[in-house]
Amino acid sequence: MVFLFQRFFLVCSLFLLIFSLAAPQAYAARLHEIHDLQTQVIEENGRAVLRIEIGMNREDISYTVQKDPAKPKHLIVALQDAQIGAAPKDVTLDGALGRFMTLRPAGQRHVEIMVAFASDVDEQNYAVYTLPADRSAKKPYRLVIDVMTPVAAPLPEPLTADGIEGVAGHTIVLDPGHGGSDSGAVGPSGVREKDVALQVAKKVQRLLEGAGAHVVMTRTTDRDVYGPNATSGQELQARVDVAERTPGAELFLSIHCNAFSNPAANGTETYSYYDSVEGGRLAFLLQKELLEAGGLRDRGTKEANFYVLKHSSIPASLVELAFISNEREEALLTSDDFQDKMAFAIAKGLSRFFIGG
């Protein structure tokens, strides 16, 4: 009887040993493996679509989709029970719709796919879904990420009597900082100050003109105002000259993004020239509206010896919307929503200046 019990115990022990050795391999076989990745730009329903097809070795992948609140241009797709096989871990995308994509392990059993969009991630400009294997096209089971042309976000409602009606009939000169050969400051992900300044200035122009103002821009495209190969003084004087040569010009506003060597620097500030009473009042009103709209740190209203302020014969101010050198604020500066808010705030500040607010 003892002998039979010993044999039974031995057989059970061997079975458990074999199972324990085979279990990890069996478990590994259950993991979904990413072994192929293809991208193409197509057109569907009048919109450009960057289609990312991620080939899998098995069907029924489980995944979740989320946005990164700290990085509004990043979409994260988390795959459960998956591993990276032969697929590349870093992929450069088309640039117009998506910038790049990375695949990275998330623990021992999961994979995160991060797609960096060219614009803010919005429910209307992406889709994540799966497609079955297509033997005729020699395509495996696929997880698909579509990145689509953004739906244009509307600007604030046209300015009304309750908004900034005080600008009607006034002539305002807007100066989008930098441009052409001068990119201005460049953010950590490559966003250029000259582009943001022009985008915001155009929105301010649209709002002011909608309220009846006459708006003159120092530039409306990505160009040098004076011309190529100009000195810094020539370029800055050319901007001042636009206002000086505009009949009836009453106000000069230069729009910029801030930057500093410490990426933690943040906030909004406005400037006027030393002892300029009207310039100081303009800067104060703009700062108040920009803070209420953008919600960033108040760096104050300051005086400075900036060329365009010093040489302007009319009330002048320079606004630093946010720090393009700060990763979070760089992302805000490229957001249509944030740009709209800041443009509306500038228009409202100008309104208050003319109505004596």
Side-chain angles (χ1 to χ4, degrees), residues 63-316:
Y63 63 89
T64 59
V65 180
Q66 63 185 23
K67 294 187 285 186
D68 186 340
K71 297 179 179 180
K73 288 184 169 62
H74 287 190
L75 181 74
I76 297 174
V77 181
L79 310 183
Q80 284 76 54
D81 296 324
Q83 62 184 0
I84 303 171
K89 294 183 180 179
D90 296 286
V91 180
T92 300
L93 301 175
D94 74 309
L97 295 171
R99 294 173 52 221
F100 62 90
M101 178 174 67
T102 61
L103 280 65
R104 58 199 178 207
Q108 295 182 344
R109 298 180 297 173
H110 308 304
V111 172
E112 279 190 352
I113 302 170
M114 191 282 289
V115 181
F117 286 34
S119 59
D120 282 0
V121 175
D122 184 88
E123 283 74 10
Q124 298 182 70
N125 68 341
Y126 78 87
V128 181
Y129 55 96
T130 60
L131 288 176
D134 184 346
R135 292 184 178 180
S136 62
K138 298 182 180 179
K139 289 188 175 183
Y141 173 81
R142 287 150 288 158
L143 173 73
V144 182
I145 303 173
D146 281 348
V147 182
M148 296 165 276
T149 304
V151 176
L155 280 170
E157 291 296 319
L159 305 179
T160 65
D162 297 327
I164 59 171
E165 63 175 0
V167 302
H170 291 284
T171 300
I172 300 166
V173 177
L174 297 180
D175 173 41
H178 308 281
S181 60
D182 178 12
S183 67
V186 179
S189 71
V191 177
R192 302 179 301 185
E193 180 183 2
K194 68 175 182 178
D195 298 327
V196 175
L198 182 59
Q199 290 159 5
V200 174
K202 283 185 172 180
K203 292 183 177 186
V204 176
Q205 177 189 25
R206 176 176 167 183
L207 291 167
L208 292 175
E209 290 179 343
H214 174 49
V215 179
V216 176
M217 302 274 281
T218 61
R219 66 182 181 96
T220 56
T221 59
D222 181 18
R223 67 177 185 89
D224 299 280
V225 177
Y226 181 91
N229 305 315
T231 66
S232 176
Q234 288 173 325
E235 177 65 16
L236 293 172
Q237 184 60 47
R239 294 167 188 268
V240 173
D241 288 344
V242 172
E244 298 299 311
R245 296 168 183 170
T246 296
E250 301 168 77
L251 182 151
F252 179 91
L253 176 63
S254 192
I255 299 174
H256 289 257
C257 306
N258 223 331
F260 192 61
S261 56
N262 183 349
N266 64 94
T268 301
E269 59 192 18
T270 58
Y271 288 88
S272 62
Y273 186 62
Y274 298 107
D275 299 326
S276 171
V277 176
E278 288 298 274
R281 183 170 74 89
L282 173 61
F284 173 81
L285 294 171
L286 289 167
Q287 179 74 358
K288 186 176 186 301
E289 296 299 333
L290 287 168
L291 291 176
E292 289 184 4
L296 301 182
R297 175 190 171 197
D298 182 5
R299 296 181 62 89
T301 302
K302 304 175 181 180
E303 294 181 327
N305 192 33
F306 295 146
Y307 191 101
V308 294
L309 303 181
K310 179 179 180 179
H311 293 274
S312 292
S313 62
I314 55 179

Side-chain angles (χ1 to χ4, degrees), residues 1-68:
M1 183 71 179
V2 173
F3 176 72
L4 290 175
F5 178 78
Q6 289 175 333
R7 287 191 63 186
F8 176 76
F9 179 78
L10 180 61
V11 170
C12 290
S13 298
L14 288 172
F15 175 78
L16 290 173
L17 177 61
I18 293 171
F19 178 80
S20 64
L21 291 173
Q25 296 179 357
Y27 180 79
R30 293 201 301 271
L31 291 178
H32 292 79
E33 183 176 293
I34 302 172
H35 61 80
D36 182 48
L37 196 152
Q38 297 180 0
T39 66
Q40 62 175 326
V41 177
I42 61 175
E43 184 173 331
E44 284 188 353
N45 301 319
R47 298 173 71 185
V49 179
L50 168 62
R51 178 152 297 163
I52 304 169
E53 296 189 10
I54 301 166
M56 312 292 295
N57 66 331
R58 297 179 55 227
E59 296 188 353
D60 302 322
I61 183 72
S62 181
Y63 63 89
T64 59
V65 180
Q66 63 185 23
K67 294 187 285 186
D68 186 340

